[in-house]
PDB file of all heavy atoms in Angstrom:
ATOM      1  N   GLY A 171     -89.626  63.208 -30.250  1.00 93.00           N
ATOM      2  CA  GLY A 171     -89.085  62.249 -29.307  1.00 93.00           C
ATOM      3  C   GLY A 171     -89.975  61.026 -29.106  1.00 93.00           C
ATOM      4  O   GLY A 171     -91.177  61.039 -29.306  1.00 93.00           O
ATOM      5  N   GLN A 172     -89.331  59.936 -28.660  1.00 91.00           N
ATOM      6  CA  GLN A 172     -90.016  58.632 -28.562  1.00 91.00           C
ATOM      7  C   GLN A 172     -91.201  58.653 -27.592  1.00 91.00           C
ATOM      8  O   GLN A 172     -92.218  58.052 -27.838  1.00 91.00           O
ATOM      9  CB  GLN A 172     -89.023  57.607 -28.108  1.00 91.00           C
ATOM     10  CG  GLN A 172     -88.167  57.030 -29.199  1.00 91.00           C
ATOM     11  CD  GLN A 172     -89.009  56.222 -30.223  1.00 91.00           C
ATOM     12  OE1 GLN A 172     -89.806  55.370 -29.880  1.00 91.00           O
ATOM     13  NE2 GLN A 172     -88.916  56.589 -31.492  1.00 91.00           N
ATOM     14  N   GLU A 173     -91.092  59.416 -26.485  1.00 94.00           N
ATOM     15  CA  GLU A 173     -92.196  59.406 -25.509  1.00 94.00           C
ATOM     16  C   GLU A 173     -93.364  60.301 -25.904  1.00 94.00           C
ATOM     17  O   GLU A 173     -94.343  60.377 -25.164  1.00 94.00           O
ATOM     18  CB  GLU A 173     -91.651  59.786 -24.102  1.00 94.00           C
ATOM     19  CG  GLU A 173     -91.199  61.210 -24.014  1.00 94.00           C
ATOM     20  CD  GLU A 173     -90.778  61.596 -22.576  1.00 94.00           C
ATOM     21  OE1 GLU A 173     -90.388  60.655 -21.814  1.00 94.00           O
ATOM     22  OE2 GLU A 173     -90.824  62.756 -22.228  1.00 94.00           O
ATOM     23  N   ASN A 174     -93.234  60.935 -27.041  1.00 96.00           N
ATOM     24  CA  ASN A 174     -94.367  61.768 -27.549  1.00 96.00           C
ATOM     25  C   ASN A 174     -94.955  61.219 -28.851  1.00 96.00           C
ATOM     26  O   ASN A 174     -95.801  61.869 -29.459  1.00 96.00           O
ATOM     27  CB  ASN A 174     -93.896  63.229 -27.789  1.00 96.00           C
ATOM     28  CG  ASN A 174     -93.479  63.940 -26.529  1.00 96.00           C
ATOM     29  OD1 ASN A 174     -94.199  63.822 -25.533  1.00 96.00           O
ATOM     30  ND2 ASN A 174     -92.365  64.565 -26.538  1.00 96.00           N
ATOM     31  N   PHE A 175     -94.579  60.013 -29.213  1.00 97.00           N
ATOM     32  CA  PHE A 175     -95.016  59.469 -30.505  1.00 97.00           C
ATOM     33  C   PHE A 175     -95.269  57.952 -30.293  1.00 97.00           C
ATOM     34  O   PHE A 175     -94.438  57.237 -29.805  1.00 97.00           O
ATOM     35  CB  PHE A 175     -93.940  59.698 -31.561  1.00 97.00           C
ATOM     36  CG  PHE A 175     -94.447  59.454 -32.944  1.00 97.00           C
ATOM     37  CD1 PHE A 175     -95.054  60.474 -33.696  1.00 97.00           C
ATOM     38  CD2 PHE A 175     -94.233  58.189 -33.585  1.00 97.00           C
ATOM     39  CE1 PHE A 175     -95.521  60.252 -34.995  1.00 97.00           C
ATOM     40  CE2 PHE A 175     -94.727  57.980 -34.895  1.00 97.00           C
ATOM     41  CZ  PHE A 175     -95.328  58.997 -35.597  1.00 97.00           C
ATOM     42  N   CYS A 176     -96.438  57.567 -30.787  1.00 97.00           N
ATOM     43  CA  CYS A 176     -96.834  56.124 -30.703  1.00 97.00           C
ATOM     44  C   CYS A 176     -97.389  55.731 -32.053  1.00 97.00           C
ATOM     45  O   CYS A 176     -98.314  56.363 -32.622  1.00 97.00           O
ATOM     46  CB  CYS A 176     -97.835  55.912 -29.629  1.00 97.00           C
ATOM     47  SG  CYS A 176     -98.519  54.260 -29.489  1.00 97.00           S
ATOM     48  N   LEU A 177     -96.856  54.631 -32.626  1.00 97.00           N
ATOM     49  CA  LEU A 177     -97.265  54.184 -33.969  1.00 97.00           C
ATOM     50  C   LEU A 177     -98.043  52.851 -33.815  1.00 97.00           C
ATOM     51  O   LEU A 177     -97.524  51.846 -33.317  1.00 97.00           O
ATOM     52  CB  LEU A 177     -96.063  53.977 -34.880  1.00 97.00           C
ATOM     53  CG  LEU A 177     -96.320  53.337 -36.230  1.00 97.00           C
ATOM     54  CD1 LEU A 177     -97.426  53.986 -36.983  1.00 97.00           C
ATOM     55  CD2 LEU A 177     -95.041  53.372 -37.049  1.00 97.00           C
ATOM     56  N   ILE A 178     -99.254  52.817 -34.323  1.00 97.00           N
ATOM     57  CA  ILE A 178    -100.135  51.624 -34.301  1.00 97.00           C
ATOM     58  C   ILE A 178    -100.382  51.231 -35.747  1.00 97.00           C
ATOM     59  O   ILE A 178    -100.961  52.032 -36.509  1.00 97.00           O
ATOM     60  CB  ILE A 178    -101.424  51.876 -33.512  1.00 97.00           C
ATOM     61  CG1 ILE A 178    -101.107  52.264 -32.046  1.00 97.00           C
ATOM     62  CG2 ILE A 178    -102.316  50.616 -33.543  1.00 97.00           C
ATOM     63  CD1 ILE A 178    -102.313  52.730 -31.318  1.00 97.00           C
ATOM     64  N   HIS A 179     -99.963  50.009 -36.123  1.00 96.00           N
ATOM     65  CA  HIS A 179    -100.130  49.587 -37.460  1.00 96.00           C
ATOM     66  C   HIS A 179    -101.273  48.590 -37.526  1.00 96.00           C
ATOM     67  O   HIS A 179    -101.255  47.528 -36.843  1.00 96.00           O
ATOM     68  CB  HIS A 179     -98.818  48.939 -37.960  1.00 96.00           C
ATOM     69  CG  HIS A 179     -98.800  48.575 -39.410  1.00 96.00           C
ATOM     70  ND1 HIS A 179     -99.010  49.501 -40.433  1.00 96.00           N
ATOM     71  CD2 HIS A 179     -98.663  47.385 -40.079  1.00 96.00           C
ATOM     72  CE1 HIS A 179     -98.909  48.915 -41.565  1.00 96.00           C
ATOM     73  NE2 HIS A 179     -98.716  47.601 -41.389  1.00 96.00           N
ATOM     74  N   VAL A 180    -102.283  48.917 -38.342  1.00 96.00           N
ATOM     75  CA  VAL A 180    -103.454  48.016 -38.501  1.00 96.00           C
ATOM     76  C   VAL A 180    -103.192  47.079 -39.704  1.00 96.00           C
ATOM     77  O   VAL A 180    -102.878  47.558 -40.806  1.00 96.00           O
ATOM     78  CB  VAL A 180    -104.741  48.845 -38.756  1.00 96.00           C
ATOM     79  CG1 VAL A 180    -105.938  47.915 -38.868  1.00 96.00           C
ATOM     80  CG2 VAL A 180    -104.954  49.818 -37.652  1.00 96.00           C
ATOM     81  N   SER A 181    -103.316  45.802 -39.448  1.00 95.00           N
ATOM     82  CA  SER A 181    -103.034  44.850 -40.534  1.00 95.00           C
ATOM     83  C   SER A 181    -103.997  43.690 -40.497  1.00 95.00           C
ATOM     84  O   SER A 181    -104.779  43.519 -39.560  1.00 95.00           O
ATOM     85  CB  SER A 181    -101.567  44.294 -40.329  1.00 95.00           C
ATOM     86  OG  SER A 181    -101.204  43.530 -41.480  1.00 95.00           O
ATOM     87  N   LEU A 182    -103.998  42.930 -41.570  1.00 94.00           N
ATOM     88  CA  LEU A 182    -104.973  41.820 -41.707  1.00 94.00           C
ATOM     89  C   LEU A 182    -104.293  40.487 -41.405  1.00 94.00           C
ATOM     90  O   LEU A 182    -103.170  40.202 -41.875  1.00 94.00           O
ATOM     91  CB  LEU A 182    -105.488  41.829 -43.136  1.00 94.00           C
ATOM     92  CG  LEU A 182    -106.435  40.641 -43.540  1.00 94.00           C
ATOM     93  CD1 LEU A 182    -107.774  40.794 -42.752  1.00 94.00           C
ATOM     94  CD2 LEU A 182    -106.703  40.669 -45.023  1.00 94.00           C
ATOM     95  N   ILE A 183    -104.969  39.630 -40.682  1.00 93.00           N
ATOM     96  CA  ILE A 183    -104.523  38.243 -40.425  1.00 93.00           C
ATOM     97  C   ILE A 183    -105.563  37.355 -41.112  1.00 93.00           C
ATOM     98  O   ILE A 183    -106.577  37.010 -40.552  1.00 93.00           O
ATOM     99  CB  ILE A 183    -104.466  37.895 -38.906  1.00 93.00           C
ATOM    100  CG1 ILE A 183    -103.549  38.916 -38.207  1.00 93.00           C
ATOM    101  CG2 ILE A 183    -103.947  36.503 -38.712  1.00 93.00           C
ATOM    102  CD1 ILE A 183    -102.070  38.935 -38.617  1.00 93.00           C
ATOM    103  N   PRO A 184    -105.294  36.998 -42.333  1.00 92.00           N
ATOM    104  CA  PRO A 184    -106.309  36.139 -43.072  1.00 92.00           C
ATOM    105  C   PRO A 184    -106.247  34.681 -42.685  1.00 92.00           C
ATOM    106  O   PRO A 184    -105.218  34.227 -42.109  1.00 92.00           O
ATOM    107  CB  PRO A 184    -105.886  36.346 -44.523  1.00 92.00           C
ATOM    108  CG  PRO A 184    -104.417  36.601 -44.481  1.00 92.00           C
ATOM    109  CD  PRO A 184    -104.131  37.284 -43.203  1.00 92.00           C
TER     110      PRO A 184
END
Side-chain angles (χ1 to χ4, degrees):
Q172 278 296 307
E173 67 176 25
N174 294 316
F175 194 87
C176 175
L177 172 52
I178 300 173
H179 188 59
V180 182
S181 188
L182 176 67
I183 305 295

